[in-house]
Amino acid sequence: MNLQNSTLAIIGLGYVGLPLAVEFGKLRPVIGFDINPKRIAELQAGQDHTLECSPEELAAATHLRYSCTAQDLQQAQVYIVTVPTPVDQANRPDMTPLVKASTTVGQALKKGDVVIYESTVYPGATEEVCVPVLERESGLKFNQDFFCGYSPERINPGDKVNTLTTIKKITSGSTPEVADEVDALYNSIIKAGTWKASSLKVAEAAKVIENTQRDLNIAFVNELSVIFERIGIDTLEVLEAAGSKWNFLPFRPGMVGGHCIGVDPYYLTHKAEELGYHPQVILAGRRINDNMARYVARNTIKRMICNGMDVARCRIGILGITFKENCPDIRNSKVVDMVREFQSWGAQVVVADSWADAAEVQAEYGIQLSVVDAANPVDALVVAVGHNNHRAMSMEDLRRLCRSDKPVLADVKSLFDRHAAAAAGFTVFRL
């Protein structure tokens, strides 16, 4: 077996799949496959609405072609699956995209082919969920006629420093020989090198705990924020003081959304519960983080009421709805929970975000993006996402957006000097 001369098929051209297809497409034949014809047309036109790849980067992938036709996958010998792995409304893993992608790949699978999964899953999911689908659809036998690998994605949307090729890649294979081939395949594009795990399960587990660890650390500082607010001291000041020690971890409180940190821990706890163990620390962290958007909303409302405002007659402006700064990704945005909480109090909520796609926000959440400006001022202002254009705003800019004599400023990311904000007339809340 030699994967170095193989044609690759990348299944799913989102934030993970497209950069992968582009890098491989600079060196070898690659079929970039996505079920969305509009996405294929966009990429064929040399544009990427996720902003992960520039037109110049797309043009550099001279061996990459795009398709939404499943029959084209039969030309490949290696399939890399990069579809989303979300949770449902009850926070249970939704394996539907992964099963559908495995079905499509299985119908194109031939003897000697290799299927590599990058989607984040619980340990054992590749062999327990995906392999049976591949065998059923292809009529082939796992580790006899076809093989599998697992190399978890480590993409950080919007990050132009820590990119695909500069982050060490975990690799694994279903046999020692396949593991060597998969590792060599990724080493051909990953400048930072690779880390070959001993099994698919080890690689799967390594990925899911990366984000679970971050989730728990953020939950810890979020809980500190709740405690310090009651004590009457500023959380950021405390964290900066503690950060003077060399080994203090620089986590900051905030709302945990997106497709990874706010989702992946549920995959691990799902597997643990299947095995008869009820995780306590992990789920406690999830409960804290899932409640932070409503916590911000309620503290904003509390200050509005203390300032004599009738919340049901007020306009509340929210700057930002993407799940992170300088990125158009709105998946699992916790700002939506904040909007719903404000609306439950009868307030009129205006959401503005120049990074987000208005049609996507409307379709996904039923929220119509608008503008928050001096012509349409608000009574309370929530700066929810730390986009660069938000960070660049002055106190005068913020004050012009508000019509009340005693406006409330909820500075979720602690972007602004709280003393300067108070001097400008704001009643300030921040995590």
Side-chain angles (χ1 to χ4, degrees):
M1 179 186 297
N2 185 353
L3 304 186
Q4 303 311 307
N5 299 316
S6 302
T7 296
L8 270 59
I10 310 296
I11 317 300
L13 298 176
Y15 287 87
V16 175
L18 182 63
L20 196 66
V22 166
E23 286 302 323
F24 276 123
K26 295 175 183 177
L27 304 175
R28 62 172 68 239
V30 175
I31 303 165
F33 178 83
D34 199 285
I35 59 173
N36 184 352
K38 291 183 179 179
R39 177 62 166 161
I40 295 300
E42 170 190 288
L43 294 171
Q44 288 174 335
Q47 299 296 322
D48 170 30
H49 78 272
T50 71
L51 306 181
E52 288 302 302
C53 295
S54 67
E56 293 75 21
E57 288 170 326
L58 294 177
T62 55
H63 301 288
L64 169 61
R65 63 185 180 91
Y66 305 102
S67 175
C68 57
T69 303
Q71 286 83 353
D72 289 342
L73 297 177
Q74 296 176 1
Q75 301 170 30
Q77 294 82 48
V78 179
Y79 307 84
I80 303 180
V81 179
T82 64
V83 298
T85 44
V87 292
D88 62 19
Q89 291 185 337
N91 292 323
R92 294 170 301 201
D94 181 2
M95 307 293 278
T96 303
L98 202 57
V99 170
K100 287 184 176 180
S102 297
T103 299
T104 300
V105 170
Q107 292 169 354
L109 210 55
K110 306 170 296 298
K111 281 194 174 184
D113 288 354
V114 176
V115 185
I116 303 170
Y117 289 91
E118 291 214 3
S119 306
T120 303
V121 291
Y122 55 78
T126 299
E127 292 157 290
E128 295 166 13
V129 176
C130 302
V131 165
V133 176
L134 295 173
E135 288 186 321
R136 182 191 69 214
E137 296 298 326
S138 67
L140 301 175
K141 187 70 176 175
F142 176 54
N143 274 347
Q144 179 177 315
D145 301 318
F146 73 92
F147 307 88
C148 283
Y150 185 81
S151 181
E153 59 89 2
R154 281 177 164 172
I155 291 292
N156 187 25
D159 190 337
K160 300 306 179 184
V161 177
N162 300 298
T163 57
L164 171 65
T165 62
T166 63
I167 304 171
K168 184 166 284 192
K169 198 91 162 66
I170 296 174
T171 66
S172 64
S174 56
T175 69
E177 295 76 20
V178 171
D180 289 341
E181 287 293 329
V182 170
D183 190 65
L185 179 68
Y186 280 104
N187 255 313
S188 69
I189 63 166
I190 305 298
K191 297 175 184 176
T194 59
W195 179 284
K196 187 171 63 173
S198 62
S199 68
L200 300 179
K201 286 182 181 179
V202 168
E204 290 166 330
K207 169 58 183 178
V208 80
I209 70 165
E210 288 176 19
N211 290 330
T212 301
Q213 182 187 65
R214 284 185 56 78
D215 193 45
L216 286 169
N217 277 303
I218 296 170
F220 172 61
V221 291
N222 275 338
E223 190 163 53
L224 292 180
S225 177
V226 174
I227 295 169
F228 294 153
E229 195 275 330
R230 296 189 179 195
I231 294 173
I233 54 179
D234 185 71
T235 305
L236 186 58
E237 288 187 7
V238 175
L239 293 176
E240 287 176 340
S244 63
K245 188 181 181 186
W246 81 94
N247 62 351
F248 185 82
L249 300 178
F251 285 90
R252 293 288 184 266
M255 299 183 296
V256 182
H259 61 104
C260 286
I261 300 178
V263 171
D264 296 350
Y266 289 120
Y267 276 76
L268 184 57
T269 58
H270 168 79
K271 183 61 177 179
E273 288 173 339
E274 271 192 346
L275 298 172
Y277 178 76
H278 181 71
Q280 299 180 56
V281 174
I282 297 171
L283 289 175
R286 280 281 73 236
R287 285 192 295 272
I288 291 170
N289 287 343
D290 274 347
N291 192 54
M292 291 310 291
R294 287 179 288 272
Y295 174 76
V296 171
R298 290 166 189 169
N299 272 277
T300 303
I301 290 167
K302 175 182 174 181
R303 284 157 177 77
M304 292 173 69
I305 293 172
C306 288
N307 286 359
M309 297 183 193
D310 182 354
V311 175
R313 296 178 182 272
C314 289
R315 280 166 55 88
I316 300 175
I318 299 178
L319 300 183
I321 196 170
T322 62
F323 91 87
K324 66 179 294 187
E325 64 272 10
N326 305 323
C327 172
D329 196 343
I330 63 168
R331 286 177 291 176
N332 193 29
S333 170
K334 294 305 177 183
V335 178
V336 176
D337 294 344
M338 187 191 303
V339 172
R340 305 290 187 238
E341 184 67 23
F342 283 136
Q343 290 174 336
S344 73
W345 285 75
Q348 180 186 357
V349 184
V350 183
V351 183
D353 194 325
S354 60
W355 281 85
D357 182 271
E360 187 180 1
V361 173
Q362 178 68 48
E364 185 70 22
Y365 300 116
I367 295 173
Q368 183 175 352
L369 292 185
S370 185
V371 293
V372 179
D373 56 24
N376 300 280
V378 297
D379 301 286
L381 186 65
V382 181
V383 184
V385 185
H387 295 317
N388 285 343
N389 55 313
H390 297 164
R391 293 176 183 271
M393 297 177 77
S394 66
M395 274 304 131
E396 292 74 20
D397 294 332
L398 295 174
R399 194 65 181 84
R400 279 194 292 269
L401 302 181
C402 301
R403 64 187 179 189
S404 171
D405 292 335
K406 295 181 179 180
V408 174
L409 173 64
D411 182 10
V412 176
K413 302 290 289 184
S414 297
L415 304 183
F416 307 103
D417 186 295
R418 64 188 182 97
H419 300 294
F426 283 109
T427 298
V428 182
F429 170 75
R430 64 183 193 176
L431 290 177

PDB file of all heavy atoms in Angstrom, residues 321-349:
ATOM      1  N   ILE A 321     -22.889  38.454  16.834  1.00  0.00           N
ATOM      2  CA  ILE A 321     -23.661  37.215  17.002  1.00  0.00           C
ATOM      3  C   ILE A 321     -22.848  35.989  16.598  1.00  0.00           C
ATOM      4  O   ILE A 321     -23.247  34.862  16.890  1.00  0.00           O
ATOM      5  CB  ILE A 321     -24.983  37.267  16.200  1.00  0.00           C
ATOM      6  CG1 ILE A 321     -25.940  36.168  16.688  1.00  0.00           C
ATOM      7  CG2 ILE A 321     -24.712  37.160  14.685  1.00  0.00           C
ATOM      8  CD1 ILE A 321     -27.341  36.277  16.132  1.00  0.00           C
ATOM      9  N   THR A 322     -21.691  36.170  15.963  1.00  0.00           N
ATOM     10  CA  THR A 322     -20.855  35.009  15.643  1.00  0.00           C
ATOM     11  C   THR A 322     -20.316  34.399  16.939  1.00  0.00           C
ATOM     12  O   THR A 322     -20.279  35.063  17.973  1.00  0.00           O
ATOM     13  CB  THR A 322     -19.671  35.407  14.736  1.00  0.00           C
ATOM     14  OG1 THR A 322     -18.842  36.335  15.431  1.00  0.00           O
ATOM     15  CG2 THR A 322     -20.170  36.028  13.439  1.00  0.00           C
ATOM     16  N   PHE A 323     -19.887  33.152  16.872  1.00  0.00           N
ATOM     17  CA  PHE A 323     -19.481  32.499  18.127  1.00  0.00           C
ATOM     18  C   PHE A 323     -18.102  32.937  18.596  1.00  0.00           C
ATOM     19  O   PHE A 323     -17.727  32.707  19.747  1.00  0.00           O
ATOM     20  CB  PHE A 323     -19.563  30.972  18.005  1.00  0.00           C
ATOM     21  CG  PHE A 323     -18.297  30.293  17.528  1.00  0.00           C
ATOM     22  CD1 PHE A 323     -17.302  29.916  18.417  1.00  0.00           C
ATOM     23  CD2 PHE A 323     -18.115  29.998  16.189  1.00  0.00           C
ATOM     24  CE1 PHE A 323     -16.151  29.276  17.986  1.00  0.00           C
ATOM     25  CE2 PHE A 323     -16.962  29.363  15.747  1.00  0.00           C
ATOM     26  CZ  PHE A 323     -15.981  29.004  16.649  1.00  0.00           C
ATOM     27  N   LYS A 324     -17.332  33.612  17.723  1.00  0.00           N
ATOM     28  CA  LYS A 324     -16.021  34.111  18.131  1.00  0.00           C
ATOM     29  C   LYS A 324     -15.682  35.337  17.289  1.00  0.00           C
ATOM     30  O   LYS A 324     -16.339  35.635  16.290  1.00  0.00           O
ATOM     31  CB  LYS A 324     -14.947  33.044  18.004  1.00  0.00           C
ATOM     32  CG  LYS A 324     -14.654  32.607  16.576  1.00  0.00           C
ATOM     33  CD  LYS A 324     -13.550  31.567  16.514  1.00  0.00           C
ATOM     34  CE  LYS A 324     -12.217  32.147  16.951  1.00  0.00           C
ATOM     35  NZ  LYS A 324     -11.108  31.192  16.745  1.00  0.00           N
ATOM     36  N   GLU A 325     -14.625  36.036  17.686  1.00  0.00           N
ATOM     37  CA  GLU A 325     -14.282  37.279  17.027  1.00  0.00           C
ATOM     38  C   GLU A 325     -13.652  37.065  15.658  1.00  0.00           C
ATOM     39  O   GLU A 325     -13.000  36.054  15.399  1.00  0.00           O
ATOM     40  CB  GLU A 325     -13.315  38.100  17.899  1.00  0.00           C
ATOM     41  CG  GLU A 325     -11.967  37.467  18.144  1.00  0.00           C
ATOM     42  CD  GLU A 325     -11.969  36.554  19.358  1.00  0.00           C
ATOM     43  OE1 GLU A 325     -13.054  36.259  19.893  1.00  0.00           O
ATOM     44  OE2 GLU A 325     -10.875  36.115  19.776  1.00  0.00           O
ATOM     45  N   ASN A 326     -13.887  38.068  14.777  1.00  0.00           N
ATOM     46  CA  ASN A 326     -13.251  38.132  13.453  1.00  0.00           C
ATOM     47  C   ASN A 326     -13.452  36.857  12.645  1.00  0.00           C
ATOM     48  O   ASN A 326     -12.535  36.361  11.986  1.00  0.00           O
ATOM     49  CB  ASN A 326     -11.754  38.437  13.601  1.00  0.00           C
ATOM     50  CG  ASN A 326     -11.505  39.694  14.397  1.00  0.00           C
ATOM     51  OD1 ASN A 326     -12.248  40.669  14.281  1.00  0.00           O
ATOM     52  ND2 ASN A 326     -10.465  39.694  15.220  1.00  0.00           N
ATOM     53  N   CYS A 327     -14.657  36.336  12.699  1.00  0.00           N
ATOM     54  CA  CYS A 327     -14.989  35.071  12.046  1.00  0.00           C
ATOM     55  C   CYS A 327     -16.492  35.077  11.742  1.00  0.00           C
ATOM     56  O   CYS A 327     -17.289  35.485  12.595  1.00  0.00           O
ATOM     57  CB  CYS A 327     -14.625  33.910  12.966  1.00  0.00           C
ATOM     58  SG  CYS A 327     -15.175  32.296  12.388  1.00  0.00           S
ATOM     59  N   PRO A 328     -16.910  34.644  10.549  1.00  0.00           N
ATOM     60  CA  PRO A 328     -18.339  34.668  10.213  1.00  0.00           C
ATOM     61  C   PRO A 328     -19.140  33.466  10.713  1.00  0.00           C
ATOM     62  O   PRO A 328     -20.338  33.374  10.462  1.00  0.00           O
ATOM     63  CB  PRO A 328     -18.327  34.699   8.672  1.00  0.00           C
ATOM     64  CG  PRO A 328     -17.075  33.977   8.302  1.00  0.00           C
ATOM     65  CD  PRO A 328     -16.073  34.294   9.386  1.00  0.00           C
ATOM     66  N   ASP A 329     -18.516  32.558  11.447  1.00  0.00           N
ATOM     67  CA  ASP A 329     -19.159  31.315  11.880  1.00  0.00           C
ATOM     68  C   ASP A 329     -20.190  31.591  12.980  1.00  0.00           C
ATOM     69  O   ASP A 329     -19.861  32.129  14.037  1.00  0.00           O
ATOM     70  CB  ASP A 329     -18.088  30.357  12.408  1.00  0.00           C
ATOM     71  CG  ASP A 329     -18.572  28.918  12.517  1.00  0.00           C
ATOM     72  OD1 ASP A 329     -19.802  28.707  12.492  1.00  0.00           O
ATOM     73  OD2 ASP A 329     -17.729  28.016  12.639  1.00  0.00           O
ATOM     74  N   ILE A 330     -21.445  31.201  12.750  1.00  0.00           N
ATOM     75  CA  ILE A 330     -22.513  31.433  13.730  1.00  0.00           C
ATOM     76  C   ILE A 330     -22.984  30.143  14.393  1.00  0.00           C
ATOM     77  O   ILE A 330     -23.952  30.157  15.163  1.00  0.00           O
ATOM     78  CB  ILE A 330     -23.721  32.140  13.089  1.00  0.00           C
ATOM     79  CG1 ILE A 330     -24.355  31.257  12.003  1.00  0.00           C
ATOM     80  CG2 ILE A 330     -23.336  33.498  12.526  1.00  0.00           C
ATOM     81  CD1 ILE A 330     -25.715  31.726  11.522  1.00  0.00           C
ATOM     82  N   ARG A 331     -22.323  29.036  14.146  1.00  0.00           N
ATOM     83  CA  ARG A 331     -22.775  27.753  14.693  1.00  0.00           C
ATOM     84  C   ARG A 331     -22.789  27.768  16.215  1.00  0.00           C
ATOM     85  O   ARG A 331     -21.825  28.177  16.849  1.00  0.00           O
ATOM     86  CB  ARG A 331     -21.876  26.617  14.192  1.00  0.00           C
ATOM     87  CG  ARG A 331     -22.100  26.253  12.737  1.00  0.00           C
ATOM     88  CD  ARG A 331     -21.145  25.177  12.288  1.00  0.00           C
ATOM     89  NE  ARG A 331     -19.770  25.677  12.233  1.00  0.00           N
ATOM     90  CZ  ARG A 331     -18.719  24.914  11.934  1.00  0.00           C
ATOM     91  NH1 ARG A 331     -18.869  23.624  11.701  1.00  0.00           N
ATOM     92  NH2 ARG A 331     -17.508  25.438  11.880  1.00  0.00           N
ATOM     93  N   ASN A 332     -23.919  27.333  16.787  1.00  0.00           N
ATOM     94  CA  ASN A 332     -24.051  27.205  18.246  1.00  0.00           C
ATOM     95  C   ASN A 332     -23.707  28.514  18.959  1.00  0.00           C
ATOM     96  O   ASN A 332     -23.084  28.510  20.010  1.00  0.00           O
ATOM     97  CB  ASN A 332     -23.160  26.067  18.755  1.00  0.00           C
ATOM     98  CG  ASN A 332     -23.468  25.668  20.186  1.00  0.00           C
ATOM     99  OD1 ASN A 332     -24.598  25.793  20.652  1.00  0.00           O
ATOM    100  ND2 ASN A 332     -22.460  25.203  20.905  1.00  0.00           N
ATOM    101  N   SER A 333     -24.134  29.640  18.376  1.00  0.00           N
ATOM    102  CA  SER A 333     -23.858  30.936  18.994  1.00  0.00           C
ATOM    103  C   SER A 333     -24.681  31.113  20.261  1.00  0.00           C
ATOM    104  O   SER A 333     -25.904  31.010  20.238  1.00  0.00           O
ATOM    105  CB  SER A 333     -24.180  32.070  18.021  1.00  0.00           C
ATOM    106  OG  SER A 333     -24.126  33.315  18.676  1.00  0.00           O
ATOM    107  N   LYS A 334     -24.013  31.388  21.363  1.00  0.00           N
ATOM    108  CA  LYS A 334     -24.702  31.592  22.633  1.00  0.00           C
ATOM    109  C   LYS A 334     -25.319  32.987  22.734  1.00  0.00           C
ATOM    110  O   LYS A 334     -26.114  33.252  23.645  1.00  0.00           O
ATOM    111  CB  LYS A 334     -23.746  31.353  23.798  1.00  0.00           C
ATOM    112  CG  LYS A 334     -23.291  29.906  23.906  1.00  0.00           C
ATOM    113  CD  LYS A 334     -24.484  28.965  23.996  1.00  0.00           C
ATOM    114  CE  LYS A 334     -24.073  27.504  24.027  1.00  0.00           C
ATOM    115  NZ  LYS A 334     -25.238  26.589  24.054  1.00  0.00           N
ATOM    116  N   VAL A 335     -24.975  33.874  21.807  1.00  0.00           N
ATOM    117  CA  VAL A 335     -25.624  35.183  21.772  1.00  0.00           C
ATOM    118  C   VAL A 335     -27.123  35.015  21.544  1.00  0.00           C
ATOM    119  O   VAL A 335     -27.929  35.804  22.035  1.00  0.00           O
ATOM    120  CB  VAL A 335     -24.999  36.068  20.672  1.00  0.00           C
ATOM    121  CG1 VAL A 335     -25.705  37.424  20.596  1.00  0.00           C
ATOM    122  CG2 VAL A 335     -23.510  36.261  20.932  1.00  0.00           C
ATOM    123  N   VAL A 336     -27.484  33.960  20.847  1.00  0.00           N
ATOM    124  CA  VAL A 336     -28.903  33.686  20.589  1.00  0.00           C
ATOM    125  C   VAL A 336     -29.654  33.459  21.897  1.00  0.00           C
ATOM    126  O   VAL A 336     -30.783  33.939  22.071  1.00  0.00           O
ATOM    127  CB  VAL A 336     -29.053  32.470  19.646  1.00  0.00           C
ATOM    128  CG1 VAL A 336     -30.524  32.114  19.453  1.00  0.00           C
ATOM    129  CG2 VAL A 336     -28.396  32.755  18.303  1.00  0.00           C
ATOM    130  N   ASP A 337     -29.039  32.753  22.842  1.00  0.00           N
ATOM    131  CA  ASP A 337     -29.665  32.541  24.149  1.00  0.00           C
ATOM    132  C   ASP A 337     -29.888  33.872  24.857  1.00  0.00           C
ATOM    133  O   ASP A 337     -30.897  34.068  25.545  1.00  0.00           O
ATOM    134  CB  ASP A 337     -28.786  31.640  25.029  1.00  0.00           C
ATOM    135  CG  ASP A 337     -28.667  30.224  24.485  1.00  0.00           C
ATOM    136  OD1 ASP A 337     -29.481  29.855  23.625  1.00  0.00           O
ATOM    137  OD2 ASP A 337     -27.755  29.497  24.920  1.00  0.00           O
ATOM    138  N   MET A 338     -28.945  34.783  24.687  1.00  0.00           N
ATOM    139  CA  MET A 338     -29.073  36.102  25.285  1.00  0.00           C
ATOM    140  C   MET A 338     -30.245  36.873  24.674  1.00  0.00           C
ATOM    141  O   MET A 338     -31.037  37.504  25.379  1.00  0.00           O
ATOM    142  CB  MET A 338     -27.765  36.880  25.074  1.00  0.00           C
ATOM    143  CG  MET A 338     -27.715  38.218  25.795  1.00  0.00           C
ATOM    144  SD  MET A 338     -26.308  39.205  25.259  1.00  0.00           S
ATOM    145  CE  MET A 338     -24.963  38.089  25.627  1.00  0.00           C
ATOM    146  N   VAL A 339     -30.348  36.804  23.359  1.00  0.00           N
ATOM    147  CA  VAL A 339     -31.465  37.463  22.662  1.00  0.00           C
ATOM    148  C   VAL A 339     -32.800  36.944  23.179  1.00  0.00           C
ATOM    149  O   VAL A 339     -33.711  37.722  23.493  1.00  0.00           O
ATOM    150  CB  VAL A 339     -31.356  37.244  21.135  1.00  0.00           C
ATOM    151  CG1 VAL A 339     -32.606  37.764  20.429  1.00  0.00           C
ATOM    152  CG2 VAL A 339     -30.113  37.928  20.579  1.00  0.00           C
ATOM    153  N   ARG A 340     -32.911  35.623  23.296  1.00  0.00           N
ATOM    154  CA  ARG A 340     -34.162  35.017  23.766  1.00  0.00           C
ATOM    155  C   ARG A 340     -34.494  35.470  25.192  1.00  0.00           C
ATOM    156  O   ARG A 340     -35.659  35.717  25.523  1.00  0.00           O
ATOM    157  CB  ARG A 340     -34.062  33.490  23.723  1.00  0.00           C
ATOM    158  CG  ARG A 340     -33.685  32.902  22.370  1.00  0.00           C
ATOM    159  CD  ARG A 340     -34.786  33.044  21.341  1.00  0.00           C
ATOM    160  NE  ARG A 340     -34.423  32.323  20.126  1.00  0.00           N
ATOM    161  CZ  ARG A 340     -34.321  32.884  18.921  1.00  0.00           C
ATOM    162  NH1 ARG A 340     -34.577  34.181  18.776  1.00  0.00           N
ATOM    163  NH2 ARG A 340     -33.985  32.169  17.870  1.00  0.00           N
ATOM    164  N   GLU A 341     -33.485  35.578  26.042  1.00  0.00           N
ATOM    165  CA  GLU A 341     -33.722  36.009  27.420  1.00  0.00           C
ATOM    166  C   GLU A 341     -34.211  37.449  27.465  1.00  0.00           C
ATOM    167  O   GLU A 341     -35.173  37.762  28.179  1.00  0.00           O
ATOM    168  CB  GLU A 341     -32.432  35.862  28.231  1.00  0.00           C
ATOM    169  CG  GLU A 341     -32.583  36.196  29.712  1.00  0.00           C
ATOM    170  CD  GLU A 341     -33.457  35.226  30.476  1.00  0.00           C
ATOM    171  OE1 GLU A 341     -33.604  34.072  30.016  1.00  0.00           O
ATOM    172  OE2 GLU A 341     -33.998  35.618  31.533  1.00  0.00           O
ATOM    173  N   PHE A 342     -33.596  38.328  26.699  1.00  0.00           N
ATOM    174  CA  PHE A 342     -34.052  39.715  26.646  1.00  0.00           C
ATOM    175  C   PHE A 342     -35.489  39.796  26.129  1.00  0.00           C
ATOM    176  O   PHE A 342     -36.319  40.539  26.656  1.00  0.00           O
ATOM    177  CB  PHE A 342     -33.136  40.541  25.741  1.00  0.00           C
ATOM    178  CG  PHE A 342     -31.820  40.916  26.356  1.00  0.00           C
ATOM    179  CD1 PHE A 342     -30.639  40.816  25.639  1.00  0.00           C
ATOM    180  CD2 PHE A 342     -31.755  41.397  27.662  1.00  0.00           C
ATOM    181  CE1 PHE A 342     -29.425  41.173  26.192  1.00  0.00           C
ATOM    182  CE2 PHE A 342     -30.539  41.759  28.237  1.00  0.00           C
ATOM    183  CZ  PHE A 342     -29.374  41.642  27.502  1.00  0.00           C
ATOM    184  N   GLN A 343     -35.764  39.021  25.093  1.00  0.00           N
ATOM    185  CA  GLN A 343     -37.111  39.041  24.510  1.00  0.00           C
ATOM    186  C   GLN A 343     -38.158  38.527  25.487  1.00  0.00           C
ATOM    187  O   GLN A 343     -39.305  38.990  25.483  1.00  0.00           O
ATOM    188  CB  GLN A 343     -37.133  38.220  23.215  1.00  0.00           C
ATOM    189  CG  GLN A 343     -36.374  38.873  22.065  1.00  0.00           C
ATOM    190  CD  GLN A 343     -36.269  37.990  20.837  1.00  0.00           C
ATOM    191  OE1 GLN A 343     -36.347  36.748  20.934  1.00  0.00           O
ATOM    192  NE2 GLN A 343     -36.077  38.585  19.673  1.00  0.00           N
ATOM    193  N   SER A 344     -37.772  37.582  26.359  1.00  0.00           N
ATOM    194  CA  SER A 344     -38.727  37.049  27.333  1.00  0.00           C
ATOM    195  C   SER A 344     -39.150  38.113  28.348  1.00  0.00           C
ATOM    196  O   SER A 344     -40.182  37.981  29.005  1.00  0.00           O
ATOM    197  CB  SER A 344     -38.134  35.834  28.051  1.00  0.00           C
ATOM    198  OG  SER A 344     -37.118  36.217  28.977  1.00  0.00           O
ATOM    199  N   TRP A 345     -38.361  39.183  28.483  1.00  0.00           N
ATOM    200  CA  TRP A 345     -38.696  40.303  29.358  1.00  0.00           C
ATOM    201  C   TRP A 345     -39.466  41.383  28.608  1.00  0.00           C
ATOM    202  O   TRP A 345     -39.806  42.421  29.187  1.00  0.00           O
ATOM    203  CB  TRP A 345     -37.416  40.909  29.941  1.00  0.00           C
ATOM    204  CG  TRP A 345     -36.802  40.074  31.019  1.00  0.00           C
ATOM    205  CD1 TRP A 345     -36.097  38.920  30.876  1.00  0.00           C
ATOM    206  CD2 TRP A 345     -36.838  40.336  32.429  1.00  0.00           C
ATOM    207  NE1 TRP A 345     -35.684  38.434  32.091  1.00  0.00           N
ATOM    208  CE2 TRP A 345     -36.124  39.292  33.073  1.00  0.00           C
ATOM    209  CE3 TRP A 345     -37.387  41.330  33.218  1.00  0.00           C
ATOM    210  CZ2 TRP A 345     -35.959  39.216  34.446  1.00  0.00           C
ATOM    211  CZ3 TRP A 345     -37.213  41.271  34.601  1.00  0.00           C
ATOM    212  CH2 TRP A 345     -36.513  40.222  35.197  1.00  0.00           C
ATOM    213  N   GLY A 346     -39.725  41.145  27.335  1.00  0.00           N
ATOM    214  CA  GLY A 346     -40.507  42.091  26.542  1.00  0.00           C
ATOM    215  C   GLY A 346     -39.703  43.173  25.873  1.00  0.00           C
ATOM    216  O   GLY A 346     -40.267  44.074  25.240  1.00  0.00           O
ATOM    217  N   ALA A 347     -38.384  43.132  25.996  1.00  0.00           N
ATOM    218  CA  ALA A 347     -37.545  44.175  25.410  1.00  0.00           C
ATOM    219  C   ALA A 347     -37.457  44.019  23.891  1.00  0.00           C
ATOM    220  O   ALA A 347     -37.564  42.912  23.355  1.00  0.00           O
ATOM    221  CB  ALA A 347     -36.150  44.127  26.016  1.00  0.00           C
ATOM    222  N   GLN A 348     -37.260  45.134  23.216  1.00  0.00           N
ATOM    223  CA  GLN A 348     -36.979  45.106  21.788  1.00  0.00           C
ATOM    224  C   GLN A 348     -35.478  44.921  21.622  1.00  0.00           C
ATOM    225  O   GLN A 348     -34.678  45.697  22.163  1.00  0.00           O
ATOM    226  CB  GLN A 348     -37.414  46.407  21.111  1.00  0.00           C
ATOM    227  CG  GLN A 348     -37.137  46.435  19.611  1.00  0.00           C
ATOM    228  CD  GLN A 348     -37.438  47.789  18.986  1.00  0.00           C
ATOM    229  OE1 GLN A 348     -37.914  48.705  19.671  1.00  0.00           O
ATOM    230  NE2 GLN A 348     -37.163  47.926  17.699  1.00  0.00           N
ATOM    231  N   VAL A 349     -35.073  43.897  20.899  1.00  0.00           N
ATOM    232  CA  VAL A 349     -33.651  43.567  20.766  1.00  0.00           C
ATOM    233  C   VAL A 349     -33.192  43.821  19.336  1.00  0.00           C
ATOM    234  O   VAL A 349     -33.839  43.376  18.377  1.00  0.00           O
ATOM    235  CB  VAL A 349     -33.380  42.099  21.145  1.00  0.00           C
ATOM    236  CG1 VAL A 349     -31.883  41.805  21.094  1.00  0.00           C
ATOM    237  CG2 VAL A 349     -33.923  41.794  22.538  1.00  0.00           C
TER     238      VAL A 349
END
